[in-house]
Amino acid sequence: MYDVIVVGGGPSGIFAALQAKRINKKIKLVVLEKSKSILSKIKVSGGGRCNVTNATFDIKELCLNYPRGNKELISAFHQFQPLDMIKWLEKKGVSLKIDNGKRVFPSSDNSQCIIDCFLKEIKNKDVEVKYNQNIINVIKKNDLFEIVLKNQEKILAKKIILATGSSNDGLKYAKQLGHNIAPFIPSLFSFKIESNDILKLAGLSQKRVKVFLKNSSYAQIGSILITHEGFSGPSIINLSSFAAKFLYEKKYKVILSINWLNNFSKDQIMHILLKAKHQHSKNLLSKINPFNFPYKLWAFFLKNFGNIFFTTIKDISNRNLIKLVEKLSSDHYSMISKSENKNEFVSCGGINLKEVNFKDMQSKKCGNLYFVGELLNVDGITGGYNLQNAWTTGFIAGNSLQKP
Ligand SMILES: Cc1cc2nc3c(=O)[nH]c(=O)nc-3n(C[C@H](O)[C@H](O)[C@H](O)COP(=O)(O)OP(=O)(O)OC[C@H]3O[C@@H](n4cnc5c(N)ncnc54)[C@H](O)[C@@H]3O)c2cc1C
């Protein structure tokens, strides 16, 4: 019989277990992990570098990065926020650095040092971890929980922390224990588009574009990367997060619009082009490049938006210039499917947040049952926000176990 069973050895479950042991080292606690290793997503996170959190310390600003969970996380971050995680890791000897977009990485650029830090802590705090645990059921029996394993072994516990991430197992257990759930669907992905000459420019990126989805209000501003099958980069990945449900419902068949010159109004773009026409009348527009696009991208626009690549600027009709302005401000591509973002991937969906008390992460439907991490219907955009959700909710649950 255990005081606490943590189901799942990902970052949220392990952090919860460490906190529980910190508060009470005598607590009888075990982490039951389905696979043969713990923290396996940490290893591959951030492209192997582990974007461990984001150095956004203003809680309101921080919450804007969570398409789902932004309201509920406000109180949670007041208990444990990115600065606390940074201090925690540094205290344990992990040197950190802040990269673009306030992303926090280990200075070594190697996720293994985060895993090593946790393995050391698990040993120091004497946290029991059992691997290859095949749980087939979690049942509430009076005041206790019974965990049933495939080999028919039964383990009893007074409290349970469900930390199964985006595995459907956790949803199944929670449903049985009376919870409403939103099925998991993908978030944080790149877009595949219909065959188009722009794909020949794979590898090129452009800053400060606005990407938006036709027939919706979803839009994001940021860098875009052209890939060999479509588009990626922060603007697209973040759009996939905010529009995760919309895209899923549309089966990823939507029209993506790109405003390549989001910093300019259409009038300003036209003004700049007319000025160029006046000042460099005998020149080719391709040579002038008044918006400083990567040359190959500018050449693509001139070839595809009015076929004016080889035309001297004085010979380009105003009608063609208007067409160019229109296309630069609203260039359309047919999305045909999604592809994974290799740096970070997360699921949208999970336990209904109204049924969880974010002061202690306890279920409002079933006493002594706690939810942490990605199993909750919380997900963030790319940038370390998803791991921060795991740290914060894990911290709160682990600290709350002693409370009556
Ligand atoms: C490729 C990739 C890169 C990422 N990079 C980043 C990044 O750089 N920064 C960031 O913030 N986020 C990143 N994420 C997201 C982040 O890893 C997750 O949000 C985070 O790991 C969620 O933690 P968790 O503990 O809730 O779940 P998980 O990490 O998924 O852990 C759940 C654990 O529970 C176990 N489990 C599942 N079912 C059972 C069961 N029935 N019984 C027992 N155990 C079970 C699983 O085996 C797993 O070990 C990345 C995700 C991926 C896939």
Side-chain angles (χ1 to χ4, degrees):
M1 154 89 105
Y2 284 91
D3 293 320
V4 182
I5 291 179
V6 180
V7 182
S12 64
I14 294 295
F15 205 49
L18 289 175
Q19 295 307 322
K21 278 283 197 180
R22 179 181 65 89
I23 302 270
N24 175 6
K25 63 179 180 200
K26 289 199 178 128
I27 196 166
K28 199 158 182 292
L29 175 149
V30 65
V31 178
L32 302 182
E33 167 55 45
K34 187 180 190 174
S35 70
K36 61 179 191 320
S37 57
I38 55 169
L39 301 170
S40 47
K41 275 193 196 164
I42 292 275
K43 180 78 185 158
V44 292
S45 65
R49 295 168 67 208
C50 187
N51 180 191
V52 75
T53 185
N54 190 287
T56 299
F57 306 136
D58 178 272
I59 289 174
K60 268 194 191 154
E61 195 192 326
L62 178 64
C63 288
L64 294 178
N65 299 293
Y66 292 87
R68 285 148 293 270
N70 45 44
K71 282 196 202 96
E72 292 77 6
L73 284 173
I74 294 174
S75 69
F77 286 143
H78 276 288
Q79 291 197 55
F80 193 82
Q81 64 131 304
L83 188 57
D84 299 310
M85 191 59 199
I86 290 171
K87 284 183 185 163
W88 189 90
L89 284 166
E90 286 182 338
K91 205 169 154 196
K92 304 296 170 198
V94 180
S95 163
L96 298 169
K97 63 175 178 184
I98 301 176
D99 226 327
N100 288 345
K102 299 191 192 170
R103 289 160 194 252
V104 181
F105 291 93
S107 303
S108 63
D109 276 331
N110 187 350
S111 56
Q112 188 59 42
C113 75
I114 304 289
I115 298 179
D116 291 344
C117 163
F118 277 101
L119 293 178
K120 199 169 148 199
E121 273 304 289
I122 286 170
K123 207 171 165 200
N124 286 345
K125 297 262 180 332
D126 201 18
V127 175
E128 186 186 357
V129 181
K130 288 188 174 182
Y131 298 91
N132 301 311
Q133 297 297 298
N134 203 337
I135 298 170
I136 54 167
N137 223 338
V138 178
I139 305 164
K140 179 114 197 215
K141 281 199 164 168
N142 303 318
D143 284 346
L144 296 178
F145 291 89
E146 186 178 80
I147 300 251
V148 186
L149 300 175
K150 197 172 179 199
N151 62 7
Q152 294 308 316
E153 189 189 340
K154 289 175 182 159
I155 314 175
L156 289 175
K158 293 178 192 161
K159 300 189 178 199
I160 296 275
I161 300 179
L162 284 186
T164 49
S166 54
S167 133
N168 283 319
D169 297 355
L171 292 187
K172 189 182 92 184
Y173 310 146
K175 223 172 155 184
Q176 279 170 195
L177 293 165
H179 277 272
N180 289 300
I181 51 130
F184 286 126
I185 58 168
S187 181
L188 299 184
F189 45 82
S190 310
F191 288 21
K192 284 190 189 177
I193 60 162
E194 239 171 42
S195 168
N196 189 296
D197 277 352
I198 200 163
L199 301 179
K200 291 181 189 154
L201 306 183
L204 277 187
S205 62
Q206 178 67 11
K207 285 183 182 156
R208 289 183 293 277
V209 305
K210 182 174 182 180
V211 290
F212 41 109
L213 298 175
K214 212 173 163 190
N215 298 326
S216 86
S217 57
Y218 296 108
Q220 286 290 304
I221 295 169
S223 302
I224 193 167
L225 171 72
I226 303 166
T227 70
H228 65 281
E229 52 187 16
F231 296 105
S232 189
S235 63
I236 292 289
I237 304 287
N238 292 345
L239 185 66
S240 79
S241 176
F242 282 96
K245 268 173 92 176
F246 175 81
L247 288 165
Y248 177 79
E249 281 158 11
K250 297 279 176 202
K251 300 190 169 59
Y252 307 102
K253 307 262 183 298
V254 294
I255 301 294
L256 170 73
S257 299
I258 304 173
N259 180 346
W260 293 100
L261 287 171
N262 187 50
N263 283 359
F264 299 97
S265 68
K266 284 185 189 175
D267 283 351
Q268 285 171 319
I269 301 172
M270 191 63 185
H271 180 76
I272 292 168
L273 288 172
L274 287 173
K275 200 169 148 196
K277 188 171 177 174
H278 180 70
Q279 288 177 343
H280 310 277
S281 58
K282 290 184 186 150
N283 232 324
L284 294 176
L285 192 51
S286 53
K287 289 217 170 119
I288 298 166
N289 198 355
F291 305 104
N292 281 325
F293 279 113
Y295 179 75
K296 283 184 179 169
L297 187 59
W298 183 230
F300 167 82
F301 293 149
L302 299 181
K303 281 177 194 159
N304 288 274
F305 305 167
N307 199 10
I308 49 176
F309 181 74
F310 294 110
T311 321
T312 46
I313 190 160
K314 70 176 168 43
D315 296 327
I316 301 176
S317 67
N318 281 1
R319 218 173 118 233
N320 264 345
L321 283 184
I322 291 169
K323 195 170 165 191
L324 179 62
V325 173
E326 284 299 326
K327 289 293 274 182
L328 288 172
S329 318
S330 188
D331 185 18
H332 304 303
Y333 296 89
S334 297
M335 180 183 184
I336 49 170
S337 64
K338 61 166 207 57
S339 58
E340 267 186 35
N341 166 21
K342 293 188 179 68
N343 282 324
E344 187 169 347
F345 183 77
V346 78
S347 289
C348 146
I351 308 290
N352 184 329
L353 302 184
K354 290 200 174 75
E355 299 171 359
V356 180
N357 183 347
F358 271 68
K359 289 207 170 82
D360 58 4
M361 303 317 300
Q362 196 172 172
S363 159
K364 290 180 186 169
K365 298 221 154 187
C366 174
N368 293 329
L369 172 66
Y370 297 76
F371 298 110
V372 292
E374 207 174 316
L375 173 61
L376 293 155
N377 192 2
V378 172
D379 57 274
I381 59 172
T382 177
Y385 304 104
N386 288 301
L387 279 174
Q388 186 57 47
N389 168 48
W391 310 132
T392 294
T393 52
F395 176 90
I396 296 174
N399 271 267
S400 308
L401 295 169
Q402 301 298 304
K403 294 176 190 159

